[in-house]
Amino acid sequence: MSDTRFTRRGRFGWAFYDWANSAFATTVVAGFFPVFFKTFWSADYPAETSTLQLGVGSALASFLVLFLAPVGGAIADRGHRKKAGLALSTGLSVAATAGLFWVGHGQWLTAMTLFVLASIGFFMAMVFYDSLIVDVALPDDYDRTSALGYGLGYLGGGLLLALNVAMTIWPHAFGLADRADAVRWSFLSVAIWWALFSLPLFLFAREDTGRGRAPVGRAMREGLSELRGTIGEIMKQREIWLFLLAYWLYIDGVNTIVRMAVDFGLSLGFGQESLIMALLLVQFIGFPAAIAFGWLASIWDTKKAIYLGLCVYAAISGWAYFLHDVWQFYAMAVAIGLVQGGVQSLSRSYYARLIPDGKAGEYFGIYNMLGKFAAVIGPLLVGVVAALSGSARLSILSVVVLFIAGGWLLTRVDAGKVRHSVNA
């Protein structure tokens, strides 16, 4: 068939979606929502209650995505509607995120409902987005294309976060009443940013429609029917299930470090502004670093580049054990920024080489399901070690086990043993 799908414009449009949706991950998830939820929407409740509300909401979104991700991927494959699924998921998230602007003080249930809907849309969109990489790039371009997406994501998310932080620090300079008003406008800015910068993907990325699109009803029935056999298929393909197991372990460690870093900094007495600066460091360093990892993989080896990132993460766990001063926390943020995007992007591109033709949506549904389910073992390990030892530093150090285990399993995976035809 023709190669008209595999164009620079299509790859750039695809990668630019990371620039668009990363604003939600930085400004909303990592930045303002947890704090604003406690201090504004759930301010009338004790801290323990608001923590429970936030935890239940996040868990509900994760639980639903665990089931919806592989189902959505299977349906997208059968109906050749990855872009349609991406548009629907993005629209849900954009609308829910924008809705946070109008939620008033004390309306915690409304705020949490919108956050859950936005989170579901965000993670479902990633299923369709990740699976589209096989429609916009040839296998030799997977590493660079995936890395470009993560790099643009770090830059775009970081730029909007920097603007939103400035809005909260100097609200009057932006014509806003106060910090709370600035946060509400920040949520609206994320929705506008996400919608606007998603357009290049929909305009320039072309999806393979195969022999035609099945009707939605038939695609759903056939997709759900095939999904039942997906796990069985994966278990028969050693390289795929072994990679997924390795990925689940080491990405659990990555997610644990990311999620625990801010709490760890707070436990050491570092100020909130210092932690925000560290988050910005990760974003802006992650932009060139993720792209550099894609280049490194193209001239070296994808797996070796992932190993490099995992070794750095193991060193970060050790560094955290001895951390005392805020400059050391900044150094840890720099190290995370250097490798986080590389590990994530190269894992995605390496997996794309393993999956069978015509199964991208279904297999990436499983991939994203595992990615969402990650950060389960790590936090549990950290909590148990902290409870038994009484040392927060030792608990962070324990995460190194996940990097070692995941890295060792990855050494047992050989993409060269997987042979799929490439439509060119």
Side-chain angles (χ1 to χ4, degrees):
M1 60 177 291
S2 173
D3 269 9
T4 55
R5 289 177 292 136
F6 307 121
T7 64
R8 283 187 180 180
R9 189 167 62 172
R11 291 192 294 273
F12 182 79
W14 178 88
F16 217 69
Y17 185 81
D18 244 318
W19 169 290
N21 78 339
S22 289
F24 177 78
T26 53
T27 291
V28 179
V29 177
F32 294 153
F33 186 85
V35 175
F36 203 62
F37 184 81
K38 277 181 171 293
T39 60
F40 187 77
W41 289 314
S42 189
D44 298 331
Y45 293 87
E48 296 80 5
T49 302
S50 62
T51 297
L52 176 62
Q53 293 165 343
L54 186 61
V56 170
S58 299
L60 177 61
S62 300
F63 181 77
L64 292 173
V65 169
L66 285 177
F67 293 96
L68 292 175
V71 172
I75 295 172
D77 279 338
R78 297 300 299 175
H80 300 287
R81 287 182 170 86
K82 297 171 189 172
K83 287 178 67 174
L86 181 60
L88 182 62
S89 301
T90 299
L92 172 64
S93 288
V94 167
T97 303
L100 292 172
F101 174 82
W102 287 278
V103 181
H105 184 276
Q107 297 178 336
W108 71 269
L109 184 58
T110 303
M112 181 53 64
T113 299
L114 290 173
F115 178 72
V116 168
L117 291 174
S119 298
I120 291 173
F122 174 81
F123 288 109
M124 286 302 298
M126 292 305 298
V127 174
F128 303 110
Y129 170 63
D130 285 348
S131 65
L132 271 168
I133 191 173
V134 301
D135 291 282
V136 300
L138 291 167
D140 287 345
D141 292 319
Y142 284 169
D143 290 330
R144 287 186 293 269
T145 303
S146 183
L148 177 62
Y150 270 102
L152 289 174
Y154 279 111
L155 182 60
L159 285 173
L160 187 61
L161 177 61
L163 173 62
N164 294 149
V165 168
M167 289 165 57
T168 61
I169 296 175
W170 305 290
H172 298 298
F174 290 86
L176 303 173
D178 51 29
R179 178 169 292 189
D181 196 29
V183 173
R184 291 172 55 249
W185 277 99
S186 294
F187 292 138
L188 188 58
S189 73
V190 169
I192 295 171
W193 178 284
W194 196 346
L196 178 63
F197 291 114
S198 294
L199 293 179
L201 182 148
F202 295 107
L203 291 175
F204 304 131
R206 299 184 62 183
E207 179 182 358
D208 179 17
T209 57
R211 290 171 295 178
R213 291 181 171 178
V216 175
R218 193 178 80 192
M220 181 176 297
R221 290 192 301 273
E222 293 178 352
L224 290 174
S225 177
E226 287 198 358
L227 180 61
R228 288 194 291 267
T230 299
I231 300 299
E233 290 179 12
I234 288 176
M235 294 308 296
K236 294 176 183 177
Q237 301 175 80
R238 178 184 181 275
E239 309 308 317
I240 295 180
W241 69 255
L242 200 55
F243 171 80
L244 288 174
L245 180 58
Y247 171 74
W248 180 50
L249 288 172
Y250 70 69
I251 210 66
D252 195 303
V254 170
N255 290 342
T256 299
I257 291 293
V258 171
R259 295 186 184 193
M260 297 299 294
V262 171
D263 284 338
F264 185 63
L266 288 172
S267 71
L268 297 180
F270 300 149
Q272 187 175 358
E273 289 187 3
S274 297
L275 300 179
I276 291 176
M277 287 299 298
L279 180 60
L280 286 172
L281 270 176
V282 171
Q283 294 300 124
F284 287 115
I285 293 173
F287 164 59
I291 295 176
F293 259 84
W295 170 80
L296 179 64
S298 68
I299 64 170
W300 190 23
D301 180 80
T302 305
K303 280 177 63 177
K304 290 178 180 178
I306 295 175
Y307 295 147
L308 175 62
L310 297 183
C311 287
V312 172
Y313 263 112
I316 289 170
S317 299
W319 176 262
Y321 180 81
F322 299 100
L323 197 150
H324 289 281
D325 301 319
V326 69
W327 73 266
Q328 294 173 313
F329 192 81
Y330 287 146
M332 185 174 73
V334 169
I336 291 174
L338 286 172
V339 297
Q340 181 173 295
V343 170
Q344 293 171 324
S345 68
L346 295 185
S347 296
R348 176 170 63 186
S349 60
Y350 190 79
Y351 181 65
R353 291 184 172 88
L354 301 177
I355 60 179
D357 295 333
K359 295 282 190 176
E362 190 171 340
Y363 274 62
F364 267 109
I366 301 296
Y367 177 84
N368 280 279
M369 180 185 71
L370 285 176
K372 185 62 184 137
F373 192 58
V376 173
I377 298 177
L380 180 61
L381 181 64
V382 168
V384 170
V385 172
L388 294 177
S389 68
S391 170
R393 299 179 187 278
L394 189 60
S395 68
I396 292 294
L397 182 61
S398 68
V399 180
V400 73
V401 173
L402 297 174
F403 299 122
I404 294 174
W408 179 80
L409 284 174
L410 186 60
T411 65
R412 319 308 297 173
V413 180
D414 184 3
K417 294 181 179 179
V418 181
R419 293 288 183 265
H420 301 307
S421 63
V422 177
N423 292 326

